[in-house]
Amino acid sequence: MTIEAATGESRITALCALSQQVRELMDATALTDVPEDELEAITADVAALTARLRAVARETPQPFEFAPDGTLRHLGNAVTGAANPHALPLVVTSDGESVRAELSFRPLHEGPPGSVHGGISAMILDHVLGQAVVVAGFAGMTASLSVNYRKPVPYGVPLVATGAFTRKEGRKTWVEGRIALTDGTVLVEATGLFVTPAAWLGE
Amino acid sequence: MTIEAATGESRITALCALSQQVRELMDATALTDVPEDELEAITADVAALTARLRAVARETPQPFEFAPDGTLRHLGNAVTGAANPHALPLVVTSDGESVRAELSFRPLHEGPPGSVHGGISAMILDHVLGQAVVVAGFAGMTASLSVNYRKPVPYGVPLVATGAFTRKEGRKTWVEGRIALTDGTVLVEATGLFVTPAAWLGE
């Protein structure tokens, strides 16, 4: 059984390495200036690789599961999943009270010229706030998210996203978070309201 | 000159076709269950294609530009760009008063098991609301976005996102939007406040 678990993790590592390489292909695609005939040749090659990956396929991304170290992970998650090319992936850590993620956006995340799309900042903050609720010891569904844009968010620059619990009233939990430069300059702020379904409390 | 323009569009078409094929590779990566040795072989092949695309590269994604039909387009946009693999791409249309986009999410967009990540719904609504401001005839920067989650958003299902102007006070413009099932059932709602910088008005 120990050997089987190790083999599984080895394959997971290979899957995450493939996902990272696909992210680099995505980046290269968004920035390429190679001639038309080369674009067409590469498109055919990408199609062939796609078919090889589809030879054995799941219907849903990698599930929520316990990693060998006992932590819960979701490798298929669209924002944090190391096995999902759409994800940065965002790596959220916690000191037991608040959450923090060091991140850097890429040219692929552009909205306004030279800046990250505002919707992508909102996407990141939604996830960070949800993690802040979990770390605070509460369980709930996102009810609302409010995002305030202070300054344009640059790509290719180290940034820090943070989130923390602010207050609780009955089944409602409020959290707040932000994306900032490493010098502390706030670029985008957000607050979130999460509600614990009454059914979860047996009420 | 006409021939040059046509040649450029032919290359743009090839670039968009490559981006679409890369999206399919992303999807296949998130869902693949092929063995470890095949994952490693494909990773090496993806790396080789990445290097070929990087042989001639830009530093920023495809820019805002006028298409041959005179419309403004941003093929490199993270949400709408046909030449950006990160984008759905979202295709927003307008009747001159409000905006509308038919869309469908993919397993790659998963957050909670079987549902689209809440941050991705926020990302889409941020863009739709911004377009609603433009269609209403105003120019501005997003100041704030508020998203209310009503029901889980499924993937693999046709959805409709809409956005419309609600009111204006001085340099502030409010818009609202939603993502709904095709039968009209609202899944996520949002309001946005956009502010026209005083400098743009010569004030």
Side-chain angles (χ1 to χ4, degrees), chain A residues 11-54:
Chain A
R11 188 181 166 283
I12 288 290
T13 299
L15 190 57
C16 294
L18 169 63
S19 297
Q20 179 55 33
Q21 190 57 60
V22 171
R23 286 182 199 110
E24 294 188 28
L25 182 74
M26 293 160 62
D27 293 340
T29 298
L31 298 176
T32 194
D33 250 347
V34 301
E36 184 174 346
D37 57 350
E38 177 72 339
L39 290 174
E40 290 172 350
I42 293 172
T43 300
D45 289 349
V46 173
L49 295 178
T50 303
R52 283 171 62 185
L53 287 172
R54 286 179 175 156

Side-chain angles (χ1 to χ4, degrees), chain A residues 10-11 31-34 36 38 52-53 56 58 61 74 78 84 107-108 110-111 117 127 143-145 147 149, chain B residues 10-11 31-34 36 38 52-53 56 58 61 74 78 84 107-108 110-111 117 127 143-145 147 149:
Chain A
S10 171
R11 188 181 166 283
L31 298 176
T32 194
D33 250 347
V34 301
E36 184 174 346
E38 177 72 339
R52 283 171 62 185
L53 287 172
V56 190
R58 315 161 46 86
H74 185 201
N84 184 332
L108 185 80
E110 186 174 275
H117 194 292
H127 196 94
S144 67
L145 171 74
V147 185
Y149 297 92
Chain B
S10 171
R11 189 183 165 281
L31 298 176
T32 193
D33 251 346
V34 300
E36 185 174 344
E38 177 72 340
R52 282 170 64 184
L53 288 172
V56 190
R58 316 162 44 86
H74 184 201
N84 183 333
L108 186 81
E110 185 176 274
H117 195 291
H127 197 94
S144 67
L145 171 74
V147 185
Y149 297 92

Side-chain angles (χ1 to χ4, degrees), chain A residues 141, chain B residues 112-116 121 149-155 159 181 186-188:
Chain A
M141 306 285 285
Chain B
S115 297
V116 173
S121 297
Y149 297 92
R150 302 293 184 205
K151 297 174 186 289
V153 176
Y155 49 73
L159 302 171
L181 297 177
V186 177
L187 306 177
V188 188

